């Protein structure tokens, strides 16, 4: 009897301990969320946006809640790597106390890689490819000092980082489209797939912020004809982050920035300059291997497609033409690649229930494009025109890359989401909504 009572007491103690841990997790989540909602409008970088502090707090709250929903959905309904990342971050945190030497050196360990520090653009058995994952794991291990491994608290920390990307893009577009506050807010903060997929415990939110900071530093430097130390640091840090976490995006940025810079400094007409730069870039892309075999970019992209074919998600898999490392193959596959990246999922296809709202969102963007063509407000400011052209070219080149290599719709939707503001915000802010409303009233 005494043993039974002892076991019962032990069970109650353990149960009470579990309840205490759960209660503390909820309590800390609320405390951190309230603290950052209060702090975010008071940060200098955010205050410079000019957005009302209450609106900032609400927008940040929306982003965090989207991260919570994504975390819950991925735990119960999808086989994503968000929770795996969080678990690996907790293991790395434990390593800090168990073996500090290993913790501070394992990020640079190349013992298991045949090429050592080589093969920067490879998709398999590459230190650099695995570094993308390992950096996020290391960052999570730092956050775990404050979160104790709780996914939702880590989600708050990641969304603090990700929110700066939204603010940075807003600060650019509100200068390009002065007075079109609501359209820019929606385009930079509230696009559904952007809000959802950029709010995860993943590298996407970090990449998104790097893109935003890079765009802000670039636009301010050109529009004010002044590259300050702070802007140079912003460009250097953001481009380094992109090189380490998404080197394909870094490569796509090179011709876009070159064309943007050349047009700004020469005062030549933008379209011929951008077209010329991209033609030259295409020639270099297919002939760089002549300089060095490690720069065979067409073979690298073909290898990345092969890798995606090995790990594709059967639930949302799509048929894709095999990519060969030749100019002919890339040109032949380009229409299919752009269609997959920019037009799918269609409203008529439902391979997965969660893609239905994405299809509806994408259809809404297509309607926006039609409205933009008929009710466009001409953009008089040259710097604004150059930035919009830069953003559209960057988006289309990234979409083309995604369409070439990614073999399932779920990943396509996630990858493209963080580039949507560069394309959709100009549509929202470039439509003459007053004229459209007047036309609707006239018909009534």
């Amino acid at each position: 009897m005494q043993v039974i009572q002892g076991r019962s007491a032990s069970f109650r103690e353990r149960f009470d301990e579990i309840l205490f841990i759960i209660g503390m997790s909820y309590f800390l989540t609320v405390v951190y969320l309230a603290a950052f909602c209060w702090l975010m409008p008071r940060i200098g970088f955010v205050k410079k946006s000019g957005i009302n502090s209450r609106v900032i707090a609400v927008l940040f709250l929306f982003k965090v809640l989207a991260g919570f929903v994504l975390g819950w959905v991925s735990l119960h309904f999808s086989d994503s790597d968000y929770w795996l990342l969080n678990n690996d971050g907790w293991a790395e945190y434990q390593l800090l106390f168990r073996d500090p030497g290993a913790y501070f050196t394992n990020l640079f360990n190349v013992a298991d890689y045949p090429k050592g520090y080589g093969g920067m653009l490879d998709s398999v058995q590459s230190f650099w490819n695995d570094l993308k994952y390992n950096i996020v794991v290391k960052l999570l291990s730092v956050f775990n000092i404050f979160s104790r491994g709780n996914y939702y608290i880590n989600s708050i920390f990641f969304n603090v980082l990700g929110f700066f990307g939204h603010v940075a893009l807003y600060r650019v577009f509100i200068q390009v489209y002065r007075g079109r506050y609501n359209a820019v807010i929606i385009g930079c903060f509230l696009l559904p797939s952007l809000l959802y997929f950029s709010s995860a415990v993943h590298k996407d939110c970090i990449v998104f912020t790097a893109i935003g900071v890079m765009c802000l530093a670039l636009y301010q430097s050109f529009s004010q004809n002044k590259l300050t130390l702070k802007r140079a640091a912003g460009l250097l840090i953001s481009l380094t982050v992109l090189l380490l976490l998404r080197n394909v995006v870094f490569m796509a940025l090179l011709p876009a920035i070159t064309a943007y810079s050349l047009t700004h400094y020469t005062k030549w007409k933008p379209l011929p300059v951008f077209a010329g730069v991209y033609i030259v870039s295409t020639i270099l892309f297919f002939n760089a291997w002549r300089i060095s075999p490690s720069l065979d970019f067409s073979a690298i992209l073909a290898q990345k497609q092969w890798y995606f074919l090995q790990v594709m998600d059967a639930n949302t898999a799509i048929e894709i033409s095999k990519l060969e490392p030749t100019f002919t193959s890339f040109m032949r596959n380009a229409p299919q690649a752009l269609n997959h990246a920019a037009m799918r999922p269609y409203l008529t296809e439902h391979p997965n229930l969660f893609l239905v709202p994405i299809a509806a969102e994408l259809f809404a963007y297509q309607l926006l494009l039609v409205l933009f063509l008929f009710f466009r407000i001409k953009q008089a400011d040259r710097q604004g025109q150059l930035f919009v052209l830069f953003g559209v070219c960057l988006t289309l080149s990234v979409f083309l890359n995604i369409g070439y290599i990614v073999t399932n719709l779920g990943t396509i939707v996630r990858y493209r989401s963080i580039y949507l503001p560069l394309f959709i915000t100009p549509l929202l802010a470039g439509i003459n909504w007053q004229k459209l409303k007047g036309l609707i009233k006239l018909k009534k």
Side-chain angles (χ1 to χ4, degrees):
M1 189 65 179
Q2 289 180 348
V3 173
I4 294 175
Q5 288 177 343
R7 287 179 179 174
S8 178
S10 177
F11 173 80
R12 284 198 301 270
E13 290 174 358
R14 187 174 296 274
F15 183 72
D16 290 342
E17 182 181 353
I18 292 173
L19 285 179
F20 176 77
I21 293 173
I22 294 174
M24 285 300 298
S25 295
Y26 280 113
F27 174 74
L28 286 176
T29 301
V30 172
V31 168
Y32 282 126
L33 181 56
F36 281 116
C37 282
W38 176 86
L39 179 64
M40 195 59 67
R42 291 165 172 77
I43 296 174
F45 183 85
V46 179
K47 287 177 68 175
K48 289 180 180 178
S49 69
I51 304 175
N52 179 276
S53 59
R54 291 183 180 179
V55 175
I56 286 291
V58 171
L59 291 172
F60 177 70
L61 185 60
F62 279 169
K63 185 166 181 64
V64 172
L65 292 179
F68 287 176
V69 171
L70 178 56
W72 185 85
V73 169
S74 64
L75 178 63
H76 293 91
F77 296 101
S78 66
D79 186 23
S80 67
D81 55 359
Y82 304 138
W83 287 83
L84 177 62
L85 259 173
N86 196 67
N87 292 338
D88 287 348
W90 179 248
E92 192 71 11
Y93 165 79
Q94 293 176 313
L95 179 66
L96 172 62
F97 299 96
R98 188 174 65 252
D99 189 350
Y103 176 87
F104 287 106
T105 58
N106 61 3
L107 194 63
F108 310 100
N109 185 11
V110 295
D112 298 329
Y113 300 102
K115 295 183 180 180
Y117 288 114
M120 188 171 190
L121 299 177
D122 291 352
S123 298
V124 292
Q125 292 187 317
S126 166
F127 164 81
W128 299 102
N129 186 63
D130 291 347
L131 183 65
K132 305 169 187 177
Y133 188 91
N134 294 334
I135 287 175
V136 180
V137 169
K138 192 68 72 174
L139 182 61
L140 273 166
S141 71
V142 176
F143 290 161
N144 283 331
I145 297 172
F146 308 97
S147 70
R148 302 298 298 168
N150 183 285
Y151 177 92
Y152 296 101
I153 296 177
N154 284 333
S155 178
I156 295 174
F157 293 151
F158 266 78
N159 280 302
V160 169
L161 296 177
F163 193 71
F164 291 114
H166 295 275
V167 173
L169 286 179
Y170 174 86
R171 287 178 58 181
V172 175
F173 278 115
I174 202 60
Q175 295 179 65
V176 174
Y177 298 102
R178 296 182 186 277
R180 297 169 217 178
Y181 174 81
N182 292 333
V184 176
I185 283 283
I186 294 171
C188 294
F189 289 91
L190 299 176
L191 301 181
S193 56
L194 166 69
L195 185 63
Y196 186 71
F197 289 106
S198 69
S199 302
V201 175
H202 205 272
K203 63 177 176 287
D204 291 333
C205 75
I206 303 173
V207 170
F208 175 64
T209 291
I211 292 171
V213 171
M214 180 272 302
C215 287
L216 178 61
L218 203 61
Y219 177 79
Q220 288 185 333
S221 298
F222 287 157
S223 62
Q224 299 176 19
N225 284 310
K226 186 177 182 181
L227 179 63
T228 63
L229 183 61
K230 185 181 293 186
R231 291 168 189 167
L235 280 171
L236 180 61
I237 293 172
S238 58
L239 289 174
T240 301
V241 168
L242 290 172
L243 178 63
L244 295 177
L245 296 185
R246 281 277 169 84
N247 49 39
V248 172
V249 177
F250 177 85
M251 298 298 293
L253 271 168
L254 296 181
I257 292 178
T258 300
Y260 190 5
S261 304
L262 190 59
T263 310
H264 170 75
Y265 287 114
T266 61
K267 308 299 181 183
W268 293 340
K269 291 183 178 181
L271 288 178
V273 173
F274 273 80
V277 168
Y278 274 90
I279 290 172
V280 172
S281 299
T282 302
I283 294 172
L284 291 174
F285 178 87
F286 288 102
N287 290 278
W289 63 271
R290 301 177 189 276
I291 302 172
S292 170
S294 63
L295 299 180
D296 193 347
F297 298 121
S298 58
I300 289 169
L301 276 189
Q303 181 196 54
K304 288 182 181 294
Q305 187 201 62
W306 172 86
Y307 174 76
F308 269 97
L309 285 169
Q310 309 310 306
V311 299
M312 68 179 180
D313 180 1
N315 292 326
T316 60
I318 55 176
E319 293 185 6
I320 187 170
S321 301
K322 184 179 179 182
L323 195 62
E324 302 290 345
T326 64
F327 176 80
T328 303
S329 177
F330 273 75
M331 292 301 102
R332 185 174 60 247
N333 289 356
Q336 181 193 68
L338 282 175
N339 176 59
H340 286 173
M343 304 297 290
R344 298 185 70 176
Y346 309 131
L347 279 174
T348 54
E349 63 178 336
H350 304 127
N352 187 304
L353 182 62
F354 293 105
L355 291 180
V356 174
I358 299 296
E361 178 191 1
L362 194 56
F363 181 69
Y365 295 154
Q366 292 160 9
L367 289 179
L368 278 177
L369 179 58
V370 173
L371 291 175
F372 178 80
L373 294 176
F374 287 97
F375 298 95
R376 177 188 174 190
I377 300 174
K378 290 186 178 180
Q379 185 68 34
D381 178 62
R382 177 179 169 83
Q383 286 300 328
Q385 291 177 348
L386 291 183
F387 178 78
V388 170
L389 185 56
F390 160 80
V392 169
C393 289
L394 173 61
T395 301
L396 289 178
S397 59
V398 172
F399 278 15
L400 189 61
N401 173 75
I402 293 171
Y404 275 138
I405 67 175
V406 182
T407 56
N408 68 80
L409 286 177
T411 304
I412 286 175
V413 168
R414 179 167 68 87
Y415 278 10
R416 77 174 175 218
S417 63
I418 60 177
Y419 308 97
L420 289 176
L422 295 173
F423 192 84
I424 302 302
T425 307
L427 296 184
L428 287 167
I431 294 173
N432 191 332
W433 294 103
Q434 293 299 322
K435 183 178 179 181
L436 181 60
K437 288 178 182 178
L439 184 62
I440 293 172
K441 288 181 180 179
L442 186 63
K443 286 185 176 182
K444 288 182 178 180

